[in-house]
Amino acid sequence: MGERKAMLILHGKQAMNEEVRSAVGGLRERGWTLDVRLTWEAGDAQRWVAQALAAGFRQVVAGGGDGTLRDVAEAMAQARSDASLALLPLGTANDFAKAAGIPLEPAAALDLLEQPARPVDLGKVGDQMFLNMATGGFGSQVTANTSEDLKKVLGAAAYLFTGLSRFSELQAASVELQGPDFHWQGELLALGIGNGRQAGGGHVLCPDAWVDDGLLDIGILPAPQEMIGALRDLLAGEGLFVRARLPWVEIKSSQGVDINLDGEPLQADSLRFEACPAALRLHLPADSPLLSRPG
């Protein structure tokens, strides 16, 4: 392989993670040059990506949760660099990593730097890009309202706990979705626009999504006429979903639609999402379920 040199852009909360420190040390012992930069506030990830590319790094590692991955992936794609990205999953949910088959153990995750990078798609809305998923409806409110303290105690189960505790507040969103040969209008409880498959701590909204097909998967959970049962039962009801696979989709709502973009909240009356084929080179397991052509 080429030069064994990478920059790890690590979420500041993980600075004292001993497992991460050990994994970084192990990679260096194998001959890698691995520089580490910490993120503490908005804009840090973009600044470190720019520094890495200017210094000639050919590989970057995003260490953190789905939000950190989104920030780093977006910065690399916007720089139009052919440097590659690896993920060190350290979040509460790690939705993209779990769907992609990326190891959650730091040393095994960093080993993927030695696997060939694959071209993958990104999703785009306005001037923002995302790797995993955009969610709307009640599910995005749950993700936004789940406290950091609760996530520390319960892990990914915190999202379900928050959803069930707020179930009495559940309100359907009236929206219209339009794409090539696709139109849906009505009230929905949950919406997923996926490059990945799951969000919000393991809720699989787009079970057939691939990261390399040039398309976005759409999963719509229409609102039932009567709000019966628990959020868990609704999200498990696979037959209830309306699905599509599209190069772009527009969402409109007179009430405004709330979207969670891998942790980044968006709110607007009208949004257009589109797929950006092969916008990023990503280190994934050869047999990753998210690859349409594994190997």
Side-chain angles (χ1 to χ4, degrees), residues 124-185:
K124 183 177 182 181
V125 52
D127 59 356
Q128 294 184 273
M129 305 181 86
F130 63 97
L131 177 58
N132 186 43
M133 186 177 295
T135 58
F138 186 62
S140 63
Q141 297 168 31
V142 168
T143 303
N145 289 307
T146 301
S147 75
E148 291 298 321
D149 289 340
L150 193 62
K151 286 192 282 187
K152 288 177 183 176
V153 175
L154 297 179
Y159 296 104
L160 179 60
F161 179 85
T162 302
L164 293 174
S165 66
R166 297 174 62 89
F167 192 76
S168 62
E169 303 174 28
L170 189 152
Q171 293 182 343
S174 180
V175 301
E176 179 181 10
L177 284 86
Q178 183 82 43
D181 299 317
F182 177 80
H183 180 261
W184 186 89
Q185 186 170 6

Side-chain angles (χ1 to χ4, degrees), residues 186-269:
E187 295 189 335
L188 59 77
L189 292 182
L191 167 69
I193 301 175
N195 197 36
R197 295 183 177 179
Q198 64 184 55
H203 297 313
V204 180
L205 298 177
C206 301
D208 301 316
W210 288 318
V211 292
D212 59 353
D213 63 349
L215 299 170
L216 294 172
D217 277 50
I218 316 299
I220 301 167
L221 180 61
Q225 292 184 350
E226 296 182 8
M227 304 299 185
I228 334 174
L231 179 64
R232 172 170 31 204
D233 298 328
L234 285 170
L235 290 173
E238 178 59 33
L240 300 176
F241 278 82
V242 175
R243 302 206 178 279
R245 184 172 285 157
L246 305 169
W248 59 267
V249 64
E250 292 180 346
I251 306 173
K252 297 179 181 179
S253 174
S254 58
Q255 311 158 302
V257 58
D258 291 298
I259 295 291
N260 189 293
L261 200 66
D262 288 345
E264 183 75 17
L266 294 176
Q267 205 281 338
D269 295 338

